[in-house]
Amino acid sequence: MAPFRMSAEQRRYFCALCAEGNITRAAEKLYLSRQGLSRSMNRLEKCVGARLFHRGKRGVELTDAGAALWRHVAEEDRAWEALLAELRRREDAAPEPVRVGLLSLYVGFEEKRRLLARFSGDAGVAVEIVHGDHDDFWRAISAGELECAVTLRPPDPFDLPSLQLADDGLAVLLGRDDPLSRHESVALSDLRGRCALHASPYKEHLYGPVLRDHGIHSEAVSPDRNLLLAHIAARGRIFIVQTEFARRLANDDVRFRPLTGAPFEMGSYLVFRRDMSPQACSVARVIAESCGREEQLDALLAKLLLSAR
């Protein structure tokens, strides 16, 4: 049999009667009939297995059992208030999460895990990973909804500070059985008539016309790493991306080769707010450090701080 627990209604009725010491006055406060309150307390006594009140002409008095129950209820109330205060204190002390934009296609589970693990034991910094496209990140940073992001360099109208993370060239991802995968490098002209995948609407808007001018068609694909690699390996598609990202994406079935003759660049940048919080600066520095650019970031942040004074 389950142990008896007072219902919220029984608890409220019991407390009201203890406070008033009179059934009539307690019933009036509870908007009950005197008989209804009396029946409820009789049922409570039956459930607890002890008499809780002495009933007399002058009102009701608590028995020893009733007094013990009254103390328990009061202690329970104090414990609840203490718990609420502790929960509010923790909520007030919890740091605002540092929202970081990362392209889900390129930055794999391990990279995200390392970034989150770096601050897992730091009570002062909470990191939230946000996925999206390049222009989504820039707008979110401009609106103060995102602290920083690893993305392309934003256009001038955004007026966002940025630091180049990787100064590498472009590469093309090819299937293992693609004849071009046997070359040490691939020229853009070699790709005429091929179909290039794009997982970023913004990149398609930026580079699609240039590729089409060189006879390279484009096809949209979901920004899912496994799906992208499957399209390259099984369907003969290609994917043009920064060399560092190509190196991360390549596997046994997909090769990457340096791309030459491309009339555009796809630099990888850390883009951030001018008014980053100290916690966000710590996160940004970890990202820059992974690319050996922490000193350059420190210098840029110091320059921004001076210009803001």
Side-chain angles (χ1 to χ4, degrees):
M1 182 182 294
F4 169 70
R5 292 283 186 271
M6 271 199 302
S7 67
E9 182 181 81
Q10 286 175 325
R11 194 178 192 280
R12 186 161 59 93
Y13 291 177
F14 174 74
C15 290
L17 185 52
C18 290
E20 292 298 327
N22 181 280
I23 290 182
T24 301
R25 289 197 302 269
E28 289 175 353
K29 283 204 167 187
L30 293 168
Y31 299 99
L32 287 175
S33 67
R34 186 178 185 282
Q35 293 80 6
L37 178 57
S38 182
R39 284 196 298 269
S40 178
M41 291 299 95
N42 287 336
R43 285 194 296 270
L44 177 60
E45 289 178 323
K46 184 177 180 180
C47 289
V48 300
R51 190 176 181 187
L52 303 175
F53 300 98
H54 292 300
R55 295 161 175 82
K57 293 182 180 180
R58 296 184 179 181
V60 296
E61 294 181 357
L62 288 169
T63 63
D64 289 344
L69 180 58
W70 179 232
R71 285 194 300 271
H72 171 78
V73 169
E75 289 168 5
E76 196 175 57
D77 285 342
R78 284 192 293 271
W80 175 247
E81 290 299 325
L83 175 60
L84 287 180
E86 173 65 15
L87 294 177
R88 290 171 186 139
R89 184 192 66 77
R90 292 186 182 186
E91 180 67 20
D92 293 341
E96 190 73 20
V98 176
R99 306 184 78 237
V100 180
L102 295 178
L103 295 168
S104 56
L105 178 64
Y106 308 132
V107 183
F109 172 77
E110 284 301 313
E111 288 83 354
K112 296 171 189 174
R113 185 191 62 78
R114 280 195 290 269
L115 180 60
L116 295 172
R118 185 71 176 267
F119 295 97
S120 63
D122 190 336
V125 180
V127 179
E128 178 184 346
I129 304 296
V130 178
H131 303 292
D133 203 3
H134 302 280
D135 49 343
D136 296 328
F137 290 157
W138 303 332
R139 284 193 289 268
I141 294 172
S142 297
E145 299 167 356
L146 204 65
E147 293 283 356
C148 60
V150 178
T151 174
L152 298 173
R153 183 175 183 176
D156 291 340
F158 280 96
D159 191 29
L160 294 171
S162 59
L163 172 72
Q164 188 166 7
L165 294 175
D167 187 16
D168 58 1
L170 293 175
V172 58
L173 287 165
L174 307 150
R176 178 184 60 188
D177 299 327
D178 192 309
L180 290 177
S181 69
R182 294 191 285 271
H183 297 192
E184 288 190 6
S185 63
V186 175
L188 190 67
S189 57
D190 295 332
L191 300 175
R192 180 172 293 275
R194 305 294 290 273
C195 182
L197 298 171
H198 71 84
S200 161
Y202 181 79
K203 274 192 174 180
E204 163 60 15
H205 167 75
L206 201 61
Y207 306 121
V210 179
L211 294 176
R212 286 189 286 276
D213 286 344
H214 287 76
I216 303 169
H217 311 293
S218 64
E219 178 183 319
V221 65
S222 172
D224 178 273
R225 177 186 297 229
N226 294 330
L227 183 61
L228 173 79
L229 296 177
H231 275 280
I232 297 171
R235 299 184 60 203
R237 301 298 191 252
I238 62 171
F239 190 66
I240 298 172
V241 69
Q242 296 98 310
T243 302
E244 175 59 29
F245 291 140
R247 187 176 290 110
R248 297 184 193 183
L249 290 166
N251 60 22
D252 291 341
D253 297 317
V254 175
R255 307 284 192 259
F256 80 93
R257 294 292 179 264
L259 180 66
T260 62
F264 52 79
E265 297 179 352
M266 293 183 185
S268 179
Y269 286 79
L270 174 64
V271 182
F272 51 90
R273 292 170 52 174
R274 294 181 181 276
D275 59 342
M276 277 199 302
S277 66
Q279 294 85 356
C281 288
S282 299
V283 176
R285 197 172 193 281
V286 168
I287 295 172
E289 186 181 71
S290 67
C291 300
R293 297 299 178 101
E294 65 273 22
E295 291 184 5
Q296 291 88 335
L297 177 63
D298 289 342
L300 179 55
L301 291 174
K303 182 178 178 181
L304 290 172
L305 183 60
L306 285 174
S307 64
R309 290 176 178 174

